Amino acid sequence: MGTQAASSVEQRIGLLRRLVASGVLGTLVSLYLLHTHYDEEPSFCDFGAVVNCSTLNQSAFSELFNVPVAALGAIFNVALLLVCLYSIRLLAIPATPPVQVSSLMWFLYAWALSGVLSVVYFVVAEVLLGAVCPMCTVVHLLALFNMWCARSLVADHAATPPLTVLWSQLRTVLLGVGVALIAALILFNTAVQPVASQHDVDDDQAGSTLISGVMTHTLIDYNRLAPCLAALDLHMFGLMQCSHCIQQKRKLGEQLLASVTYHECATRTCLTQNEIRGYPTWVLRPGAADEERRVGVQSVRDLAEWVGCADDLAADRASALQQTSTLL
């Protein structure tokens, strides 16, 4: 009887160690997806129109209440990791009451079940977007693996334990998860950049000068740059829900955005025909022998230099600074 009990404990510890490994891998993948959610460069797993991490990771489905889902995934996996490590420590103590072990196993089962629900959410998102995110698929497989391990852990526990026992053991972890979620809500909702009415005031769209010891910023009227861009065969391919596309539009402002040809590229046909591998994609002279491309958010300066309108941008900035000096 004692041998069977020891074997059962060893099996549970083995399953918990697998969950620990899954939690570590899941945390790393979630942190990578969080990085690429804000990174202006395409992800390494953007292989084409259909197999593309950025399509999902930068879409409207990638955030809940302005919090990146990848950040929620990291919180989920860290909590999973901590509970598993705590469970392994308790199982190594022979005198641990069975009700405590049972409560931990059932918590892990419920936690893993919530991870499976996230898989359903993302699969629906991929179907709607017509794209598959390879790194997200890794997360999906880990969630299913977690569910299999957790189901095996509760196989010998027919009845769910009292919630009071669960709370007494996991109070610190549960409070930590709650604090982390509240902190994420505050952080990602207060760090959102405001939408400017016409231009964002930054290095690309503002002239800076030191007059009478005061640093002033002037919004630029692109009276020369806008016509220069309009005269070119310059196209921007984007997606309405793409956070990088929204950032790009903010950088350009209404005046410059109206000077380029914008394409809402949400269908598989558009992605395939135009060979779009990430958002936003800039194409100069599409279809021509000397066609040029750039992928990612472009500053006004970089865009002007790329297409040969740097002198026009310089003239617009000089004019804006001259007007500021005259007013002051």
Side-chain angles (χ1 to χ4, degrees), residues 69-307:
V69 176
L72 299 177
I75 295 173
F76 172 90
N77 282 287
V78 169
L80 173 69
L81 181 63
L82 293 175
V83 174
C84 287
L85 291 174
Y86 178 65
S87 300
I88 291 174
R89 192 185 73 169
L90 280 187
L91 283 172
I93 303 175
T96 301
V99 67
Q100 291 187 8
V101 175
S102 178
S103 64
L104 289 171
M105 301 304 103
W106 278 104
F107 173 81
L108 288 172
Y109 180 76
W111 199 247
L113 182 60
S114 67
V116 172
L117 294 178
S118 71
V119 173
V120 177
Y121 171 82
F122 277 112
V123 169
V124 171
E126 289 177 330
V127 171
L128 293 176
L129 293 173
V132 176
C133 169
M135 293 301 288
C136 302
T137 302
V138 173
V139 176
H140 300 168
L141 293 175
L142 289 175
L144 295 176
F145 176 76
N146 294 342
M147 191 68 225
W148 175 80
C149 290
R151 182 68 188 88
S152 299
L153 286 170
V154 298
D156 297 332
H157 302 278
T160 56
L163 292 178
T164 53
V165 177
L166 179 63
W167 173 252
S168 65
Q169 292 185 92
L170 298 177
R171 179 170 51 241
T172 302
V173 173
L174 293 175
L175 288 176
V177 170
V179 170
L181 291 175
I182 294 174
L185 281 170
I186 295 174
L187 174 64
F188 290 106
N189 279 277
T190 57
V192 175
Q193 297 179 354
V195 179
S197 59
Q198 181 175 7
H199 303 306
D200 280 336
V201 182
D202 58 16
D203 286 342
D204 298 325
Q205 295 172 303
S208 300
T209 184
L210 187 63
I211 301 177
S212 300
V214 179
M215 183 66 72
T216 64
H217 295 274
T218 305
L219 291 177
I220 298 176
D221 287 325
Y222 294 111
N223 296 321
R224 290 189 53 175
L225 178 59
C228 181
L229 294 178
L232 300 170
D233 191 12
L234 183 60
H235 298 250
M236 174 186 166
F237 293 83
L239 187 66
M240 181 176 61
Q241 305 98 326
C242 165
S243 60
H244 289 179
C245 299
I246 295 172
Q247 181 184 0
Q248 181 68 86
K249 292 175 182 178
R250 289 174 178 172
K251 280 182 173 291
L252 293 179
E254 295 177 4
Q255 185 182 12
L256 294 184
L257 189 60
S259 303
V260 303
T261 303
Y262 175 76
H263 302 269
E264 180 68 16
C265 199
T267 65
R268 185 173 302 179
T269 300
C270 177
L271 293 169
T272 303
Q273 290 181 348
N274 297 286
E275 299 180 358
I276 305 302
R277 297 180 179 274
Y279 295 117
T281 292
W282 288 94
V283 184
L284 181 61
R285 298 178 295 273
D290 58 346
E291 173 188 299
E292 297 181 34
R293 286 175 174 253
R294 285 196 175 186
V295 180
V297 178
Q298 306 295 313
S299 67
V300 173
R301 181 191 298 109
D302 289 343
L303 194 64
E305 292 177 351
W306 174 46
V307 300

